[in-house]
Amino acid sequence: MYAEVILPLPLYSTFTYSVPEGMENIGIGSRVLVQFGKRKFYTGIVAALRPDPPAGYEVKPISTLLDADPIIRYPQLKLWQWIADYYLCAPGDVYKAAIPTGLKPESTTFISLNPDFDEDALDSLNEDERRIASLLAEEKKLSLTDIQTRTEIPKATALVKNLLEDGVVMVAETIIEKYRPKTIKMVKLALPDGNIEGVHRLLDLTNRSPKQQRALMGYLELSRYINADGEPDEVPRENLIKRTGVTPGIIKTMVDKGIFEIYKKSINRFSDLQKDTAEIPELSAAQKRAHGEIIERFRDHQVCLLHGVTGSGKTEIYSHLIRQMLDAGRQVLYLVPEISLTTQLTDRLRRTFGDRLLVYHSKFSDNERVDVWRRVLGSHESLLILGARSSVFLPFHRLGLVIVDEEHEASYKQYDPAPRYNARDTAMVLASMHGAKTLLGSATPAVDTYYKAVNGKYGLVTLSERFEGARLPEVEIVDMKDQRKRKLADGILSQPLKQATEEAMEKGQQALMFQNRRGFAPFVVCKTCGWTPKCTNCDVSLVYHKHSDTLRCHYCGFAMPLPALCPACQENSIEIYGYGTERIAEEVHGYFASRRVGRMDLDTTRNKDSYQEIIEDFSSHNMDILVGTQMVTKGLDFGKVTVVGVLNADSILNFPDFRSNERAFNMLEQVAGRAGRRSDLGKVFIQTTDPQSHVLDFVKAHNYNGFYESEIESRRKLLYPPFSRIINIYLKNKNSRDVDEAAILFSQALRATFGPRVLGPEKPFVSRVATWYLQCIMLKIEASASMTKVKHILRTIYESLARDPRIKSSILYYDVDPV
């Protein structure tokens, strides 16, 4: 038998391996360890089995079958293939993104000193080579990355290669298993089960030690050793210590005496979740109507859009639909665009659904993600999975409903690395493969989605009033040019925003300040000569971060200290300009010195618990004002927030992209929706230097339908989505001339087939990232075009040009349906 195996590599084909004797239980979806190339070992997934060997080459055998049962279910492989075909990437890219790292053991190259090397010859090495050899003599073996980090030698890779050629060092491949199960220590009697006479003997042994006797009696009670029917209950050591009050040292003494034995047991990391559930709140009349209409639409449509204004109580409707699915024995996937939303939703859903709720996203450790994966895989129970975009890859069993909350959000789109998929669209395909329904929810649906809903492809349900009669917030457009001209704004906050914030604080209310730029200041300039610090790897200016006193690149992570003097003219005239969230938080604290100011951005939410800590602090009113990036705009529910400030709407409005108006309207309307979600009327201040923008008129009136009609007409005239499909084709190369010429060559070949559908090439907004120069070609094709045929044509064109050195040295990739 021969297996077609998918490897976690950007390769467009599977690879054939022979199935050794004794591996008859191998199946499609099985996890196998295979050798690829001369040394490397990878974990592959069996995609197919066949009886005949491939022609033309000798196959290697599968090294190890890692699991008795497959780790993915049907139709996951089918979904992977759809993603690879639609988003024009390799199946290996999908596999790498889909499976948690902890389930993909692979070999790592380690370097060590050659034991046969004559140490006297070390004198012939240069200083850096001797440093590497000395480090290896001390540490025995290290990876190449560790050597580079420890020695800080820029050319460590080349030096290791020289040492290898000279026989000083040697390399070896070691399989690294990254998953570690969670284990707890269990206690049991050092006796066969049911040995009552032995128990009496052990009681005699503990007569002189009341603590040991208390521990023994506690064990007998917890385990029901004497009264148990069959085997006694297992007793965790920590439970025994907590129940009896003895120390771990007492337990160890009893182990040494032969009274207890200690063993380790693997457990699921989520096995101790609460099982108690609360009732779902009753729906209002408007919510009941919407709930009934959704069920009605599902009779005729696979997908339904719930267009509900901010604060209308969409989550309560979701909860009632989830309850119905779980009671029917089905599984539910609840997608949210940001990890921060899972934090607030988890508490609400846990109270209702208890341990049937699982949370899955990239901030979890590999071990935690593997445990969730195995719980979903190994269980036929009805479960609710709440997660960000990667949760679409989980091995669902009886999926009945997929909910995509805030479906308009660009965060559902994966940008780098491949696959560059949209989790919203992928979730709809996933649901259809399981025969499940998809509910899309948003106060500001994507233009493409709303077009499909009003034209009958999706069902449409509208919820136009806020929960419990709360009113939509008032929106005031603040002209910052006028404010500065009249000297009413000496910093980032306008006079109306400052005044409204102070009034809210006096009433015990809270405020949100939104600025979609992190860091302290985005611009650093020398006033004397105009020097501006640039990233050495990217075509962008560095952003100043005050807390670390560093200049940072937000694309590649390059950092350098802020110089005291200008490196160009040596003058003490370096100034910082502009506002990031760090500077705004500092300035807001200056305006409202007695108030507690917090910040929520990528810099303050680096670890898994940061989101929860910030949201809990703000929700429990341990903060008065929260400054944040777009993280604070999406679906969060804070009952005390009555003032929202959008501090620089211009950065959202003025962006060279056909979706810029949609993106601006959605973001502004969503952040406005955080205000006044209870009985108090909210007030939103949008600060801009262009108050005449028609987008702001629609936001001020909360007029989504008016905005949609304006936007859809514009796209109809210019043949943009939903009237076409966009594929951005990127080429990148370390040499700027080669990538420019390769892009011209490729675009000419495309035009020979696609004609005027090809636009460009042109340099993207940031034309160099992490030392790679970029060029972009836009392919605008008919919405009804077959992506399988398009993929075949693009691949054929690429293969026809593959011999050209400019194409060969460039990396080419596709971004389908960019947002």
Side-chain angles (χ1 to χ4, degrees):
M1 190 184 293
Y2 297 86
E4 297 296 328
V5 176
I6 303 173
L7 298 176
L9 298 169
L11 303 169
Y12 279 83
S13 62
T14 57
F15 291 83
T16 308
Y17 289 84
S18 62
V19 179
E21 290 185 14
M23 252 186 227
E24 287 76 14
N25 59 334
I26 192 171
I28 293 174
S30 292
R31 201 168 53 124
V32 293
L33 191 68
V34 295
Q35 183 180 356
F36 186 74
K38 291 184 178 180
R39 293 193 182 93
K40 292 291 289 184
F41 286 82
Y42 292 100
T43 299
I45 298 292
V46 176
L49 294 166
R50 66 189 210 191
D52 52 312
Y57 63 93
E58 185 177 344
V59 298
K60 297 174 183 174
I62 292 171
S63 299
T64 308
L65 178 62
L66 294 172
D67 303 285
D69 299 306
I71 66 153
I72 63 175
R73 296 182 188 273
Y74 182 84
Q76 277 177 286
L77 282 173
K78 187 178 175 184
L79 180 69
W80 290 9
Q81 191 58 54
W82 177 85
I83 293 172
D85 287 342
Y86 186 83
Y87 292 105
L88 307 178
C89 62
D93 289 325
V94 185
Y95 162 39
K96 193 169 183 178
I99 302 290
T101 305
L103 289 175
K104 298 194 292 276
E106 60 183 60
S107 65
T108 298
T109 303
F110 284 99
I111 297 149
S112 59
L113 281 179
N114 187 342
D116 298 328
F117 180 71
D118 186 357
E119 292 188 10
D120 295 336
L122 288 173
D123 295 335
S124 63
L125 305 179
N126 63 39
E127 182 181 348
D128 285 341
E129 289 172 340
R130 282 199 297 274
R131 282 177 61 197
I132 293 173
S134 299
L135 179 64
L136 289 172
E138 179 182 339
E139 299 290 342
K140 305 305 180 188
K141 69 176 184 178
L142 289 170
S143 69
L144 186 56
T145 302
D146 290 336
I147 291 173
Q148 289 174 317
T149 303
R150 297 279 293 275
T151 62
E152 297 183 349
I153 297 172
K155 298 181 179 179
T157 303
L159 294 176
V160 168
K161 184 178 179 183
N162 294 339
L163 293 171
L164 183 63
E165 291 173 351
D166 293 340
V168 179
V169 299
M170 55 190 291
V171 298
E173 293 290 317
T174 303
I175 306 297
I176 303 296
E177 175 66 69
K178 296 179 181 178
Y179 173 69
R180 294 290 182 271
K182 181 178 180 180
T183 59
I184 58 173
K185 291 183 178 179
M186 309 295 289
V187 180
K188 70 175 183 178
L189 285 185
L191 293 171
D193 293 344
N195 187 344
I196 305 301
E197 293 180 4
V199 171
H200 290 303
R201 180 176 58 80
L202 295 180
L203 285 169
D204 292 339
L205 276 177
T206 60
N207 263 338
R208 297 184 179 181
S209 173
K211 291 181 180 179
Q212 290 182 19
Q213 194 162 65
R214 190 162 71 244
L216 179 57
M217 295 301 294
Y219 170 82
L220 294 173
E221 183 181 347
L222 287 171
S223 66
R224 300 186 301 127
Y225 184 89
I226 297 173
N227 298 321
D229 295 328
E231 294 185 2
D233 296 340
E234 291 186 299
V235 178
R237 189 188 68 163
E238 291 305 312
N239 289 10
L240 180 60
I241 290 171
K242 186 176 180 180
R243 180 69 168 265
T244 61
V246 301
T247 64
I250 296 293
I251 304 296
K252 184 178 185 304
T253 301
M254 296 176 74
V255 171
D256 295 339
K257 279 185 169 184
I259 299 171
F260 283 151
E261 290 180 4
I262 299 289
Y263 64 100
K264 289 184 178 180
K265 179 183 178 182
S266 296
I267 63 167
N268 190 290
R269 284 174 170 80
F270 307 101
S271 59
D272 58 348
L273 296 175
Q274 67 181 44
K275 291 181 170 56
D276 297 331
T277 58
E279 291 297 319
I280 305 173
E282 281 291 317
L283 298 179
S284 67
Q287 289 173 323
K288 284 181 180 177
R289 177 190 55 77
H291 177 268
E293 288 183 8
I294 290 168
I295 294 174
E296 185 68 28
R297 300 294 182 274
F298 277 153
R299 290 175 183 164
D300 302 317
H301 298 86
Q302 285 292 116
V303 180
C304 179
L305 170 64
L306 173 58
H307 179 203
V309 298
T310 56
S312 58
K314 295 187 287 294
T315 305
E316 282 72 26
I317 296 174
Y318 299 158
S319 295
H320 279 264
L321 292 168
I322 291 167
R323 169 68 76 195
Q324 291 166 354
M325 279 294 164
L326 296 183
D327 288 347
R330 306 295 292 273
Q331 294 178 336
V332 179
L333 171 61
Y334 190 152
L335 279 179
V336 291
E338 287 280 358
I339 295 169
S340 58
L341 290 183
T342 66
T343 299
Q344 197 172 54
L345 276 170
T346 297
D347 293 338
R348 294 174 66 178
L349 296 173
R350 184 78 71 203
R351 287 194 295 269
T352 304
F353 301 109
D355 66 342
R356 290 200 283 181
L357 170 68
L358 296 177
V359 183
Y360 188 83
H361 55 66
S362 59
K363 287 288 185 181
F364 276 8
S365 69
D366 282 333
N367 290 334
E368 289 170 322
R369 295 177 81 192
V370 170
D371 277 354
V372 173
W373 184 282
R374 287 187 163 155
R375 170 86 182 270
V376 177
L377 176 69
S379 171
H380 290 263
E381 63 188 311
S382 54
L383 294 171
L384 166 61
I385 290 86
L386 171 67
R389 58 177 178 252
S390 59
S391 53
V392 298
F393 295 115
L394 284 166
F396 297 100
H397 171 54
R398 295 189 66 220
L399 189 63
L401 176 66
V402 174
I403 297 168
V404 185
D405 198 18
E406 310 294 349
E407 66 82 28
H408 64 277
E409 275 293 342
S411 302
Y412 282 123
K413 175 73 172 180
Q414 164 76 14
Y415 292 102
D416 278 310
R420 295 170 179 84
Y421 68 101
N422 190 311
R424 176 199 62 195
D425 300 337
T426 303
M428 288 190 277
V429 174
L430 169 71
S432 69
M433 289 179 174
H434 283 269
K437 303 294 185 180
T438 303
L439 178 62
L440 308 176
S442 177
T444 56
V447 169
D448 308 47
T449 302
Y450 201 70
Y451 176 81
K452 292 172 182 174
V454 297
N455 284 280
K457 183 173 182 180
Y458 301 161
L460 176 62
V461 175
T462 302
L463 189 57
S464 56
E465 61 184 64
R466 279 189 152 186
F467 186 64
E468 293 184 340
R471 289 176 292 167
L472 288 168
E474 294 180 359
V475 178
E476 181 175 332
I477 310 300
V478 181
D479 185 346
M480 291 304 288
K481 287 191 295 185
D482 179 66
Q483 286 278 303
R484 293 194 176 100
K485 183 179 179 181
R486 295 162 55 195
K487 297 185 179 179
L488 297 175
D490 57 351
I492 190 65
L493 300 189
S494 62
Q495 185 190 47
L497 177 55
K498 279 193 283 189
Q499 184 178 336
T501 302
E502 187 57 57
E503 291 173 358
M505 297 297 103
E506 290 173 358
K507 295 176 182 176
Q509 297 164 344
Q510 293 173 295
L512 274 178
M513 302 294 173
F514 167 59
Q515 171 80 332
N516 204 25
R517 186 183 288 272
R518 63 188 175 97
F520 189 84
F523 307 111
V524 177
V525 180
C526 173
K527 290 196 300 184
T528 302
C529 69
W531 172 82
T532 299
K534 298 274 190 180
C535 177
T536 59
N537 304 317
C538 309
D539 185 23
V540 293
S541 300
L542 298 176
V543 176
Y544 178 57
H545 289 250
K546 187 175 182 179
H547 75 282
S548 58
D549 197 31
T550 56
L551 297 165
R552 292 188 174 275
C553 174
H554 289 175
Y555 284 83
C556 72
F558 171 80
M560 62 177 281
L562 178 70
L565 302 177
C566 173
C569 66
Q570 299 302 311
E571 291 294 320
N572 186 14
S573 55
I574 293 178
E575 295 286 340
I576 59 174
Y577 297 95
Y579 286 85
T581 48
E582 186 183 2
R583 185 176 190 178
I584 290 167
E586 183 179 290
E587 192 165 299
V588 168
H589 188 69
Y591 290 137
F592 309 101
S594 63
R595 306 300 177 183
R596 296 158 296 182
V597 180
R599 179 161 60 96
M600 186 173 180
D601 55 29
L602 188 61
D603 297 322
T604 61
T605 55
R606 293 289 183 184
N607 63 57
K608 181 182 69 175
D609 299 323
S610 302
Y611 292 101
Q612 185 165 353
E613 291 167 4
I614 293 170
I615 289 171
E616 284 181 356
D617 276 350
F618 195 59
S619 296
S620 57
H621 215 149
N622 293 328
M623 294 179 201
D624 299 302
I625 303 170
L626 180 61
V627 178
T629 57
Q630 60 179 344
M631 291 179 183
V632 303
T633 71
K634 303 172 183 179
L636 294 171
D637 186 10
F638 301 118
K640 288 283 187 178
V641 172
T642 56
V643 173
V644 167
V646 178
L647 304 184
N648 182 14
D650 298 343
S651 63
I652 309 169
L653 292 165
N654 303 320
F655 200 83
D657 179 64
F658 79 92
R659 292 191 194 272
S660 61
N661 284 344
E662 177 184 4
R663 201 159 32 235
F665 177 85
N666 289 350
M667 194 171 291
L668 293 172
E669 183 66 18
Q670 286 288 335
V671 73
R674 301 314 106 204
R677 296 173 70 89
R678 300 296 184 268
S679 57
D680 296 314
L681 179 64
K683 193 71 183 284
V684 181
F685 298 86
I686 299 178
Q687 300 182 169
T688 177
T689 59
D690 182 20
Q692 306 305 317
S693 168
H694 75 285
V695 173
L696 297 180
D697 292 335
F698 291 123
V699 174
K700 186 174 181 178
H702 301 291
N703 185 2
Y704 174 82
N705 287 335
F707 168 76
Y708 167 77
E709 293 297 339
S710 170
E711 187 68 12
I712 201 71
E713 190 56 37
S714 172
R715 295 197 190 180
R716 194 191 311 272
K717 291 176 182 177
L718 298 172
L719 281 181
Y720 276 115
F723 306 103
S724 67
R725 180 173 288 142
I726 302 295
I727 303 173
N728 282 339
I729 303 166
Y730 289 93
L731 292 98
K732 64 179 186 177
N733 197 304
K734 297 281 188 178
N735 184 295
S736 60
R737 182 176 176 179
D738 282 354
V739 76
D740 291 347
E741 293 178 357
I744 292 170
L745 184 66
F746 199 76
S747 64
Q748 289 172 344
L750 287 171
R751 281 191 178 88
T753 301
F754 293 103
R757 300 178 184 87
V758 180
L759 304 175
E762 63 178 22
K763 292 181 179 180
F765 187 67
V766 178
S767 60
R768 186 169 73 108
V769 176
T771 73
W772 292 90
Y773 293 92
L774 301 172
Q775 280 283 358
C776 179
I777 304 166
M778 178 187 283
L779 181 59
K780 189 192 292 187
I781 61 174
E782 291 78 1
S784 59
S786 165
M787 288 301 291
T788 304
K789 290 182 180 178
V790 171
K791 181 180 183 180
H792 176 72
I793 294 169
L794 291 174
R795 188 67 187 170
T796 302
I797 292 172
Y798 176 77
E799 289 173 356
S800 69
L801 300 173
R803 291 180 180 273
D804 189 289
R806 294 162 297 184
I807 296 289
K808 191 174 184 178
S809 63
S810 298
I811 294 175
L812 184 144
Y813 62 90
Y814 306 96
D815 185 9
V816 179
D817 300 337
V819 297

mmCIF file of all heavy atoms in Angstrom, residues 112-130:
data_model
loop_
_atom_site.group_PDB
_atom_site.id
_atom_site.type_symbol
_atom_site.label_atom_id
_atom_site.label_comp_id
_atom_site.label_asym_id
_atom_site.label_seq_id
_atom_site.Cartn_x
_atom_site.Cartn_y
_atom_site.Cartn_z
ATOM 1 N N SER A 112 27.121 20.068 17.004
ATOM 2 C CA SER A 112 27.977 19.729 18.145
ATOM 3 C C SER A 112 29.407 19.583 17.650
ATOM 4 O O SER A 112 29.660 19.479 16.443
ATOM 5 C CB SER A 112 27.507 18.428 18.801
ATOM 6 O OG SER A 112 27.525 17.365 17.855
ATOM 7 N N LEU A 113 30.348 19.597 18.580
ATOM 8 C CA LEU A 113 31.753 19.388 18.209
ATOM 9 C C LEU A 113 31.962 17.958 17.740
ATOM 10 O O LEU A 113 31.383 17.020 18.286
ATOM 11 C CB LEU A 113 32.668 19.671 19.407
ATOM 12 C CG LEU A 113 32.975 21.133 19.736
ATOM 13 C CD1 LEU A 113 33.882 21.207 20.968
ATOM 14 C CD2 LEU A 113 33.646 21.833 18.560
ATOM 15 N N ASN A 114 32.813 17.796 16.738
ATOM 16 C CA ASN A 114 33.176 16.469 16.252
ATOM 17 C C ASN A 114 34.149 15.845 17.254
ATOM 18 O O ASN A 114 35.232 16.390 17.491
ATOM 19 C CB ASN A 114 33.838 16.593 14.878
ATOM 20 C CG ASN A 114 34.091 15.238 14.242
ATOM 21 O OD1 ASN A 114 34.089 14.207 14.910
ATOM 22 N ND2 ASN A 114 34.305 15.251 12.942
ATOM 23 N N PRO A 115 33.780 14.715 17.895
ATOM 24 C CA PRO A 115 34.678 14.120 18.908
ATOM 25 C C PRO A 115 36.023 13.683 18.337
ATOM 26 O O PRO A 115 36.983 13.524 19.091
ATOM 27 C CB PRO A 115 33.868 12.928 19.433
ATOM 28 C CG PRO A 115 32.849 12.638 18.380
ATOM 29 C CD PRO A 115 32.549 13.934 17.722
ATOM 30 N N ASP A 116 36.102 13.465 17.011
ATOM 31 C CA ASP A 116 37.356 13.025 16.395
ATOM 32 C C ASP A 116 38.259 14.189 15.997
ATOM 33 O O ASP A 116 39.355 13.979 15.475
ATOM 34 C CB ASP A 116 37.067 12.175 15.154
ATOM 35 C CG ASP A 116 36.296 10.914 15.510
ATOM 36 O OD1 ASP A 116 36.498 10.402 16.621
ATOM 37 O OD2 ASP A 116 35.480 10.465 14.675
ATOM 38 N N PHE A 117 37.798 15.423 16.245
ATOM 39 C CA PHE A 117 38.597 16.575 15.823
ATOM 40 C C PHE A 117 39.742 16.805 16.808
ATOM 41 O O PHE A 117 39.561 16.724 18.028
ATOM 42 C CB PHE A 117 37.710 17.822 15.750
ATOM 43 C CG PHE A 117 38.450 19.066 15.332
ATOM 44 C CD1 PHE A 117 38.897 19.207 14.026
ATOM 45 C CD2 PHE A 117 38.689 20.082 16.238
ATOM 46 C CE1 PHE A 117 39.566 20.346 13.630
ATOM 47 C CE2 PHE A 117 39.357 21.222 15.849
ATOM 48 C CZ PHE A 117 39.793 21.367 14.547
ATOM 49 N N ASP A 118 40.922 17.076 16.275
ATOM 50 C CA ASP A 118 42.111 17.322 17.082
ATOM 51 C C ASP A 118 42.027 18.726 17.685
ATOM 52 O O ASP A 118 42.027 19.726 16.975
ATOM 53 C CB ASP A 118 43.362 17.198 16.201
ATOM 54 C CG ASP A 118 44.653 17.308 17.018
ATOM 55 O OD1 ASP A 118 44.551 17.539 18.250
ATOM 56 O OD2 ASP A 118 45.732 17.197 16.425
ATOM 57 N N GLU A 119 41.966 18.820 19.020
ATOM 58 C CA GLU A 119 41.808 20.115 19.673
ATOM 59 C C GLU A 119 43.015 21.025 19.443
ATOM 60 O O GLU A 119 42.894 22.254 19.530
ATOM 61 C CB GLU A 119 41.588 19.920 21.178
ATOM 62 C CG GLU A 119 40.255 19.259 21.503
ATOM 63 C CD GLU A 119 39.968 19.253 22.991
ATOM 64 O OE1 GLU A 119 40.715 19.927 23.730
ATOM 65 O OE2 GLU A 119 39.012 18.590 23.394
ATOM 66 N N ASP A 120 44.169 20.457 19.166
ATOM 67 C CA ASP A 120 45.334 21.303 18.903
ATOM 68 C C ASP A 120 45.138 22.146 17.655
ATOM 69 O O ASP A 120 45.768 23.204 17.507
ATOM 70 C CB ASP A 120 46.593 20.433 18.741
ATOM 71 C CG ASP A 120 46.957 19.715 20.040
ATOM 72 O OD1 ASP A 120 46.548 20.231 21.123
ATOM 73 O OD2 ASP A 120 47.620 18.665 19.981
ATOM 74 N N ALA A 121 44.267 21.680 16.747
ATOM 75 C CA ALA A 121 44.037 22.419 15.496
ATOM 76 C C ALA A 121 43.152 23.643 15.700
ATOM 77 O O ALA A 121 42.939 24.416 14.760
ATOM 78 C CB ALA A 121 43.439 21.490 14.447
ATOM 79 N N LEU A 122 42.608 23.820 16.940
ATOM 80 C CA LEU A 122 41.779 24.995 17.195
ATOM 81 C C LEU A 122 42.553 26.297 16.985
ATOM 82 O O LEU A 122 41.973 27.341 16.704
ATOM 83 C CB LEU A 122 41.222 24.962 18.632
ATOM 84 C CG LEU A 122 40.130 23.925 18.927
ATOM 85 C CD1 LEU A 122 39.808 23.896 20.412
ATOM 86 C CD2 LEU A 122 38.875 24.229 18.126
ATOM 87 N N ASP A 123 43.862 26.216 17.147
ATOM 88 C CA ASP A 123 44.679 27.430 16.973
ATOM 89 C C ASP A 123 44.616 27.956 15.549
ATOM 90 O O ASP A 123 44.893 29.143 15.314
ATOM 91 C CB ASP A 123 46.143 27.133 17.347
ATOM 92 C CG ASP A 123 46.276 26.789 18.827
ATOM 93 O OD1 ASP A 123 45.399 27.227 19.611
ATOM 94 O OD2 ASP A 123 47.237 26.085 19.195
ATOM 95 N N SER A 124 44.272 27.086 14.592
ATOM 96 C CA SER A 124 44.215 27.523 13.192
ATOM 97 C C SER A 124 42.923 28.259 12.866
ATOM 98 O O SER A 124 42.771 28.830 11.784
ATOM 99 C CB SER A 124 44.355 26.312 12.259
ATOM 100 O OG SER A 124 43.257 25.423 12.443
ATOM 101 N N LEU A 125 41.953 28.270 13.819
ATOM 102 C CA LEU A 125 40.681 28.927 13.582
ATOM 103 C C LEU A 125 40.782 30.419 13.897
ATOM 104 O O LEU A 125 41.613 30.839 14.717
ATOM 105 C CB LEU A 125 39.584 28.301 14.461
ATOM 106 C CG LEU A 125 39.389 26.789 14.340
ATOM 107 C CD1 LEU A 125 38.290 26.327 15.303
ATOM 108 C CD2 LEU A 125 39.038 26.390 12.918
ATOM 109 N N ASN A 126 39.922 31.210 13.245
ATOM 110 C CA ASN A 126 39.909 32.633 13.589
ATOM 111 C C ASN A 126 39.160 32.841 14.903
ATOM 112 O O ASN A 126 38.594 31.902 15.469
ATOM 113 C CB ASN A 126 39.319 33.482 12.455
ATOM 114 C CG ASN A 126 37.850 33.157 12.176
ATOM 115 O OD1 ASN A 126 37.070 32.912 13.096
ATOM 116 N ND2 ASN A 126 37.484 33.156 10.898
ATOM 117 N N GLU A 127 39.098 34.070 15.379
ATOM 118 C CA GLU A 127 38.545 34.359 16.705
ATOM 119 C C GLU A 127 37.076 33.960 16.816
ATOM 120 O O GLU A 127 36.664 33.340 17.802
ATOM 121 C CB GLU A 127 38.701 35.848 16.999
ATOM 122 C CG GLU A 127 38.198 36.240 18.393
ATOM 123 C CD GLU A 127 38.331 37.731 18.669
ATOM 124 O OE1 GLU A 127 39.006 38.416 17.882
ATOM 125 O OE2 GLU A 127 37.747 38.198 19.665
ATOM 126 N N ASP A 128 36.273 34.312 15.785
ATOM 127 C CA ASP A 128 34.841 33.986 15.845
ATOM 128 C C ASP A 128 34.609 32.481 15.795
ATOM 129 O O ASP A 128 33.723 31.951 16.474
ATOM 130 C CB ASP A 128 34.093 34.677 14.693
ATOM 131 C CG ASP A 128 33.921 36.168 14.938
ATOM 132 O OD1 ASP A 128 34.036 36.595 16.097
ATOM 133 O OD2 ASP A 128 33.687 36.903 13.964
ATOM 134 N N GLU A 129 35.400 31.769 14.982
ATOM 135 C CA GLU A 129 35.251 30.313 14.902
ATOM 136 C C GLU A 129 35.604 29.669 16.238
ATOM 137 O O GLU A 129 34.963 28.708 16.666
ATOM 138 C CB GLU A 129 36.134 29.762 13.784
ATOM 139 C CG GLU A 129 35.625 30.112 12.383
ATOM 140 C CD GLU A 129 36.602 29.731 11.286
ATOM 141 O OE1 GLU A 129 37.809 29.557 11.589
ATOM 142 O OE2 GLU A 129 36.176 29.616 10.125
ATOM 143 N N ARG A 130 36.637 30.198 16.927
ATOM 144 C CA ARG A 130 37.017 29.665 18.242
ATOM 145 C C ARG A 130 35.911 29.920 19.270
ATOM 146 O O ARG A 130 35.649 29.076 20.132
ATOM 147 C CB ARG A 130 38.336 30.283 18.721
ATOM 148 C CG ARG A 130 39.568 29.678 18.062
ATOM 149 C CD ARG A 130 40.831 29.967 18.867
ATOM 150 N NE ARG A 130 41.102 31.399 18.946
ATOM 151 C CZ ARG A 130 41.786 32.074 18.025
ATOM 152 N NH1 ARG A 130 42.284 31.431 16.975
ATOM 153 N NH2 ARG A 130 42.007 33.364 18.161
#
